[in-house]
């Protein structure tokens, strides 16, 4: 159902919040800027954002852009401090970084792996510093418009709406009991998520984007290799590794798929595809899945279990498992 009140069914053109799949778009823009010689992945946060990554043993001079994109920066994840987020209704990117700087690092930069939304807020800020333009405009001009992603955009500011046709987004606020109340989270202030989780798209757009990305039609070969060079993850989805804004997941049949997942209040998504031996991918071997709720029923504890089963059904048919 797109709307449980009216009974309207979901449609292919419906838009939804894509959560952390936003990171793939941000990483793609960073890598395009690297290809243009406007920045280097070895540049530090301190070079582009002087004084921003500082305090409680954080040191931007020791954090490279590459570390931001593959989550080896050690920078505290600001969304782990919900109390600080709840103090304000809107959040400029600088304030999100300040929340992170009020905590010590998770580890010394480069010495481990931990998912950090703060790293992608910083990456978005670096894009704006390099280009002199809003991140939302860079994503539109570099990706959405050239590749015909008409339903894909990053909201400006704290706009809580989803423009165009969309499903309602339902959440139990992470309660797992069957009788937990269901809340409508469709309208959600976007500023607290921004470059880390804030984008909106459609299933068709995400299939088209990832098909082009996996197929090498967006990034030059050198940047393509950078994006798909992975590091091991820790305390995350099993059998997964992380590159620059993308992840790989090895399915039970042994097939490896590439893409990204995203989870936000009332909207959980996966967008994954297969890559051929030469590193290419194609849209025929892509699948995007969205559930406009954040809990599971039946044999699934949450939507991730459902997504894994669907990926296996899609990509493991050749092996007969």
């Amino acid at each position: 159902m797109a709307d449980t009140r009216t009974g309207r069914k979901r449609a292919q053109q419906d838009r939804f919040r894509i959560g952390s799949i936003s990171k793939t778009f941000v990483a793609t823009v960073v890598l395009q800027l690297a290809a243009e010689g406007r920045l280097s992945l070895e540049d530090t946060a301190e070079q582009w954002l002087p004084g921003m990554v500082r305090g409680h043993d954080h040191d931007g001079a020791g954090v490279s852009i590459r570390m931001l994109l593959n989550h080896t920066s050690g920078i505290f994840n600001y969304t782990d401090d919900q109390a600080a987020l709840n103090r304000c209704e809107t959040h400029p990117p600088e304030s999100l970084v300040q929340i992170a700087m009020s905590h010590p690092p998770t580890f010394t930069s480069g010495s481990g792996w931990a998912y950090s939304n703060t790293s992608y807020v910083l990456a978005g800020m670096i894009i704006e510093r390099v280009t002199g333009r809003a991140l939302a405009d860079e994503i539109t001009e570099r990706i959405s418009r050239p590749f015909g992603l008409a339903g894909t955009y990053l909201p400006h500011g704290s706009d809580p709406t989803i423009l165009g046709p969309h499903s309602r987004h339902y959440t139990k606020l992470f309660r797992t009991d069957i009788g937990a109340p269901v809340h409508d989270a469709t309208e959600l202030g976007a500023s607290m998520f921004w470059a880390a989780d804030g984008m909106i798209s459609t299933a068709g757009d995400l299939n088209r984007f990832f098909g082009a990305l996996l197929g090498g039609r967006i990034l030059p070969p050198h940047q393509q290799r950078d994006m798909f060079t992975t590091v091991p993850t820790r305390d995350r989805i099993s059998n997964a590794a992380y590159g620059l804004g993308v992840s790989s997941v090895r399915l039970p049949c042994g097939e490896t798929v590439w893409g990204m997942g995203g989870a936000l209040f009332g909207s959980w998504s996966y967008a994954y595809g297969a890559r051929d031996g030469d590193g290419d991918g194609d849209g025929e071997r892509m699948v995007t899945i969205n559930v406009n709720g954040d809990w599971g029923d039946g044999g699934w504890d949450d939507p991730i279990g459902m997504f894994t089963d669907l990926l296996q059904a899609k990509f493991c048919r050749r092996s007969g498992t």
Side-chain angles (χ1 to χ4, degrees), residues 120-170:
Y120 272 79
V121 170
L122 289 163
M125 294 172 70
I126 289 171
I127 290 170
E128 293 194 334
R129 183 66 58 88
V130 172
T131 64
R133 287 161 42 96
L135 174 62
D137 295 335
E138 286 294 318
I139 290 172
T140 295
E141 293 299 321
R142 289 174 173 272
I143 303 174
S144 298
R145 187 165 293 146
F147 290 93
L149 312 182
T152 300
Y153 69 99
L154 175 66
H156 283 274
S158 58
D159 182 2
T161 61
I162 300 176
L163 302 177
H166 59 275
S167 60
R168 308 303 297 177
H169 290 25
Y170 299 104

Coordinates of all heavy atoms in Angstrom, one line a residue, residues 120-170:
Y120 N 30.2 11.8 5.7 CA 29.5 12.2 4.4 C 29.0 13.6 4.5 O 28.9 14.3 3.4 CB 28.5 11.2 4.0 CG 29.1 10.1 3.2 CD1 29.9 9.1 3.8 CD2 29.1 10.1 1.8 CE1 30.5 8.1 3.0 CE2 29.7 9.2 1.0 CZ 30.4 8.2 1.6 OH 31.1 7.2 0.9
V121 N 28.7 14.1 5.6 CA 28.3 15.5 5.8 C 29.6 16.4 5.4 O 29.5 17.3 4.7 CB 27.9 15.9 7.2 CG1 27.8 17.4 7.4 CG2 26.5 15.2 7.4
L122 N 30.7 15.9 5.9 CA 32.0 16.6 5.6 C 32.3 16.5 4.1 O 32.7 17.5 3.5 CB 33.1 16.0 6.4 CG 33.1 16.4 7.9 CD1 34.0 15.4 8.7 CD2 33.5 17.8 8.1
A123 N 32.1 15.4 3.5 CA 32.3 15.2 2.0 C 31.4 16.2 1.3 O 31.8 16.8 0.3 CB 32.0 13.8 1.6
G124 N 30.1 16.3 1.7 CA 29.2 17.3 1.0 C 29.7 18.7 1.2 O 29.6 19.5 0.2
M125 N 30.2 19.0 2.4 CA 30.7 20.4 2.6 C 32.0 20.6 1.7 O 32.2 21.7 1.2 CB 31.1 20.6 4.0 CG 29.9 20.5 5.0 SD 30.3 20.5 6.7 CE 31.0 22.2 6.9
I126 N 32.8 19.6 1.5 CA 34.0 19.8 0.7 C 33.5 20.0 -0.8 O 34.1 20.8 -1.5 CB 34.9 18.5 0.8 CG1 35.6 18.5 2.2 CG2 36.0 18.5 -0.3 CD1 36.3 17.3 2.5
I127 N 32.5 19.3 -1.3 CA 32.0 19.5 -2.6 C 31.6 20.9 -2.8 O 31.9 21.6 -3.8 CB 30.8 18.5 -2.9 CG1 31.3 17.1 -3.0 CG2 30.1 19.0 -4.2 CD1 30.2 16.0 -3.1
E128 N 30.9 21.5 -1.8 CA 30.4 22.8 -1.9 C 31.6 23.8 -1.9 O 31.6 24.9 -2.5 CB 29.4 23.1 -0.8 CG 28.1 22.3 -0.9 CD 27.0 22.9 -0.1 OE1 27.3 23.5 1.0 OE2 25.8 22.6 -0.4
R129 N 32.6 23.5 -1.1 CA 33.8 24.4 -1.0 C 34.5 24.4 -2.3 O 35.0 25.4 -2.8 CB 34.7 23.9 0.2 CG 35.9 24.8 0.4 CD 35.5 26.2 0.9 NE 34.7 26.2 2.1 CZ 35.2 26.3 3.3 NH1 36.5 26.3 3.5 NH2 34.4 26.3 4.4
V130 N 34.7 23.2 -2.9 CA 35.4 23.1 -4.2 C 34.7 23.8 -5.3 O 35.3 24.5 -6.1 CB 35.7 21.6 -4.5 CG1 36.3 21.5 -5.9 CG2 36.6 21.0 -3.5
T131 N 33.4 23.6 -5.4 CA 32.6 24.0 -6.6 C 32.0 25.4 -6.4 O 31.7 26.1 -7.4 CB 31.5 23.0 -6.9 OG1 30.5 23.0 -5.8 CG2 32.0 21.6 -7.1
G132 N 31.8 25.8 -5.1 CA 31.1 27.1 -4.9 C 29.6 27.0 -5.2 O 29.0 28.0 -5.3
R133 N 29.1 25.8 -5.3 CA 27.7 25.6 -5.5 C 27.1 24.7 -4.5 O 27.8 23.9 -3.8 CB 27.5 25.0 -6.9 CG 27.7 25.9 -8.1 CD 28.0 25.2 -9.4 NE 27.1 24.1 -9.6 CZ 26.0 24.1 -10.3 NH1 25.6 25.3 -10.9 NH2 25.3 23.0 -10.6
A134 N 25.7 24.7 -4.4 CA 25.0 23.8 -3.4 C 25.2 22.4 -3.8 O 25.2 22.1 -5.0 CB 23.6 24.2 -3.4
L135 N 25.3 21.5 -2.9 CA 25.5 20.1 -3.1 C 24.3 19.6 -4.0 O 24.4 18.8 -4.9 CB 25.6 19.3 -1.8 CG 25.5 17.8 -1.9 CD1 26.7 17.3 -2.7 CD2 25.5 17.1 -0.5
A136 N 23.1 20.0 -3.6 CA 21.9 19.6 -4.3 C 22.0 19.9 -5.8 O 21.6 19.1 -6.7 CB 20.6 20.3 -3.8
D137 N 22.5 21.1 -6.1 CA 22.7 21.5 -7.6 C 23.7 20.7 -8.3 O 23.6 20.3 -9.4 CB 23.0 23.0 -7.6 CG 21.9 23.9 -7.1 OD1 20.7 23.4 -7.1 OD2 22.1 25.0 -6.7
E138 N 24.8 20.4 -7.6 CA 25.9 19.5 -8.2 C 25.3 18.1 -8.5 O 25.6 17.6 -9.6 CB 27.1 19.4 -7.2 CG 27.9 20.7 -7.1 CD 28.6 21.0 -8.5 OE1 29.1 20.1 -9.1 OE2 28.6 22.2 -8.8
I139 N 24.6 17.6 -7.6 CA 24.0 16.2 -7.9 C 23.1 16.3 -9.1 O 23.1 15.4 -10.0 CB 23.3 15.7 -6.6 CG1 24.3 15.4 -5.5 CG2 22.5 14.5 -7.0 CD1 23.7 15.0 -4.2
T140 N 22.2 17.3 -9.1 CA 21.3 17.4 -10.3 C 22.0 17.6 -11.6 O 21.7 16.9 -12.6 CB 20.4 18.6 -10.0 OG1 19.5 18.4 -8.9 CG2 19.5 18.9 -11.2
E141 N 23.0 18.5 -11.6 CA 23.7 18.9 -12.8 C 24.6 17.7 -13.3 O 24.8 17.5 -14.5 CB 24.5 20.2 -12.7 CG 23.6 21.4 -12.5 CD 22.7 21.6 -13.6 OE1 23.1 21.4 -14.8 OE2 21.5 22.0 -13.4
R142 N 25.2 17.0 -12.4 CA 26.2 16.0 -12.8 C 25.6 14.6 -12.9 O 26.2 13.8 -13.7 CB 27.3 15.9 -11.7 CG 28.2 17.1 -11.6 CD 29.2 17.1 -10.5 NE 30.2 18.1 -10.5 CZ 31.4 18.1 -11.2 NH1 31.7 16.9 -11.8 NH2 32.2 19.1 -11.2
I143 N 24.5 14.3 -12.3 CA 24.0 13.0 -12.3 C 22.5 12.9 -12.7 O 22.2 12.3 -13.7 CB 24.2 12.3 -10.9 CG1 25.7 12.3 -10.5 CG2 23.7 10.8 -10.9 CD1 25.9 11.8 -9.1
S144 N 21.7 13.6 -12.0 CA 20.2 13.4 -12.2 C 19.8 13.8 -13.6 O 19.2 13.1 -14.4 CB 19.4 14.2 -11.2 OG 19.7 13.7 -9.9
R145 N 20.3 15.0 -14.0 CA 19.9 15.5 -15.4 C 20.5 14.7 -16.5 O 19.8 14.3 -17.4 CB 20.2 17.0 -15.5 CG 19.6 17.6 -16.7 CD 19.6 19.1 -16.6 NE 18.7 19.6 -15.6 CZ 18.8 20.7 -14.8 NH1 19.9 21.4 -14.9 NH2 17.9 21.0 -13.9
P146 N 21.8 14.5 -16.5 CA 22.5 13.8 -17.6 C 22.0 12.4 -17.8 O 21.9 11.9 -18.9 CB 24.0 13.8 -17.3 CG 24.1 14.9 -16.3 CD 22.9 15.0 -15.5
F147 N 21.6 11.7 -16.7 CA 21.2 10.3 -16.8 C 19.7 10.1 -16.7 O 19.2 9.0 -16.6 CB 21.9 9.5 -15.7 CG 23.4 9.3 -16.0 CD1 24.3 10.2 -15.4 CD2 23.8 8.4 -16.8 CE1 25.6 10.2 -15.7 CE2 25.2 8.2 -17.1 CZ 26.1 9.1 -16.5
G148 N 18.9 11.2 -16.9 CA 17.5 11.1 -17.0 C 16.8 10.7 -15.7 O 15.8 10.0 -15.8
L149 N 17.4 11.0 -14.5 CA 16.8 10.6 -13.3 C 15.8 11.7 -12.8 O 16.1 12.5 -11.9 CB 17.9 10.4 -12.2 CG 19.1 9.5 -12.7 CD1 20.1 9.4 -11.5 CD2 18.6 8.2 -13.2
A150 N 14.6 11.7 -13.4 CA 13.7 12.8 -13.2 C 13.1 12.8 -11.8 O 12.7 13.9 -11.3 CB 12.5 12.7 -14.2
G151 N 13.1 11.7 -11.1 CA 12.6 11.7 -9.7 C 13.6 11.7 -8.6 O 13.3 11.4 -7.5
T152 N 14.8 12.0 -9.0 CA 15.9 12.0 -8.0 C 16.5 13.3 -7.7 O 16.9 14.1 -8.6 CB 17.1 11.1 -8.6 OG1 16.6 9.8 -8.9 CG2 18.2 11.0 -7.6
Y153 N 16.5 13.7 -6.4 CA 17.0 15.0 -6.0 C 17.3 15.0 -4.5 O 16.9 14.1 -3.7 CB 16.0 16.1 -6.3 CG 14.7 16.0 -5.5 CD1 14.6 16.9 -4.3 CD2 13.7 15.2 -5.8 CE1 13.4 16.9 -3.6 CE2 12.5 15.1 -5.0 CZ 12.4 16.0 -3.9 OH 11.3 15.9 -3.1
L154 N 18.1 16.0 -4.1 CA 18.4 16.2 -2.7 C 17.6 17.5 -2.3 O 17.8 18.5 -3.0 CB 19.9 16.5 -2.5 CG 20.3 16.9 -1.1 CD1 20.1 15.8 -0.1 CD2 21.8 17.3 -1.1
P155 N 16.7 17.4 -1.3 CA 16.0 18.6 -1.0 C 16.9 19.7 -0.5 O 17.9 19.5 0.1 CB 15.1 18.1 0.2 CG 15.0 16.6 0.0 CD 16.3 16.2 -0.6
H156 N 16.5 20.9 -0.8 CA 17.2 22.1 -0.3 C 16.8 22.4 1.2 O 15.6 22.3 1.5 CB 17.0 23.3 -1.1 CG 17.7 23.3 -2.4 ND1 19.0 23.8 -2.5 CD2 17.4 22.9 -3.7 CE1 19.4 23.7 -3.8 NE2 18.5 23.1 -4.5
G157 N 17.8 22.7 2.0 CA 17.4 23.1 3.4 C 16.7 22.0 4.2 O 17.1 20.9 4.1
S158 N 15.7 22.4 4.9 CA 15.0 21.5 5.7 C 13.6 21.1 5.2 O 12.7 20.7 5.9 CB 14.8 22.1 7.1 OG 14.1 23.4 7.0
D159 N 13.4 21.3 3.9 CA 12.1 21.0 3.2 C 11.7 19.6 3.6 O 12.3 18.6 3.3 CB 12.3 21.1 1.7 CG 11.0 20.8 1.0 OD1 9.9 20.6 1.6 OD2 11.0 20.8 -0.3
P160 N 10.5 19.5 4.3 CA 10.1 18.2 4.8 C 9.3 17.3 3.8 O 8.9 16.2 4.1 CB 9.2 18.5 6.0 CG 8.6 19.8 5.6 CD 9.6 20.5 4.8
T161 N 9.0 17.9 2.7 CA 8.1 17.3 1.7 C 8.8 16.4 0.7 O 10.0 16.5 0.5 CB 7.2 18.3 1.0 OG1 8.1 19.1 0.2 CG2 6.4 19.2 1.9
I162 N 8.0 15.5 0.1 CA 8.5 14.7 -1.0 C 7.8 15.2 -2.2 O 6.5 15.1 -2.3 CB 8.3 13.2 -0.9 CG1 9.0 12.7 0.4 CG2 8.7 12.4 -2.1 CD1 8.7 11.2 0.7
L163 N 8.5 15.8 -3.2 CA 7.8 16.4 -4.4 C 7.4 15.3 -5.3 O 8.1 14.3 -5.5 CB 8.8 17.4 -5.1 CG 9.4 18.5 -4.2 CD1 10.4 19.3 -5.0 CD2 8.2 19.4 -3.7
G164 N 6.3 15.5 -6.0 CA 5.8 14.5 -6.9 C 5.1 13.3 -6.3 O 4.9 13.3 -5.1
P165 N 4.7 12.4 -7.1 CA 4.0 11.2 -6.6 C 4.9 10.4 -5.6 O 6.1 10.2 -5.9 CB 3.7 10.4 -7.8 CG 4.7 10.8 -8.8 CD 5.0 12.2 -8.6
H166 N 4.3 10.0 -4.5 CA 5.1 9.2 -3.5 C 4.2 8.4 -2.6 O 3.0 8.7 -2.5 CB 6.0 10.2 -2.7 CG 5.2 11.2 -1.9 ND1 4.8 12.4 -2.5 CD2 4.7 11.2 -0.7 CE1 4.1 13.1 -1.6 NE2 4.0 12.4 -0.5
S167 N 4.8 7.4 -2.0 CA 4.1 6.6 -1.0 C 4.2 7.3 0.3 O 5.1 8.1 0.5 CB 4.7 5.2 -1.0 OG 6.0 5.2 -0.7
R168 N 3.3 6.9 1.2 CA 3.5 7.3 2.6 C 4.6 6.5 3.2 O 4.9 5.4 2.7 CB 2.2 7.1 3.4 CG 0.9 7.8 2.8 CD 1.1 9.3 2.6 NE 1.3 10.0 3.8 CZ 1.5 11.3 3.9 NH1 1.5 12.0 2.7 NH2 1.6 11.9 5.0
H169 N 5.3 7.0 4.3 CA 6.3 6.3 4.9 C 5.9 6.0 6.4 O 5.6 7.0 7.1 CB 7.6 7.2 4.9 CG 8.3 7.3 3.6 ND1 7.6 7.2 2.4 CD2 9.6 7.6 3.3 CE1 8.4 7.4 1.4 NE2 9.6 7.6 1.9
Y170 N 5.9 4.7 6.8 CA 5.4 4.3 8.1 C 6.5 3.8 8.9 O 7.3 3.0 8.5 CB 4.3 3.3 7.9 CG 3.1 3.8 7.1 CD1 2.9 3.4 5.7 CD2 2.2 4.7 7.6 CE1 1.9 3.9 5.0 CE2 1.1 5.1 6.9 CZ 1.0 4.8 5.6 OH -0.1 5.2 4.8

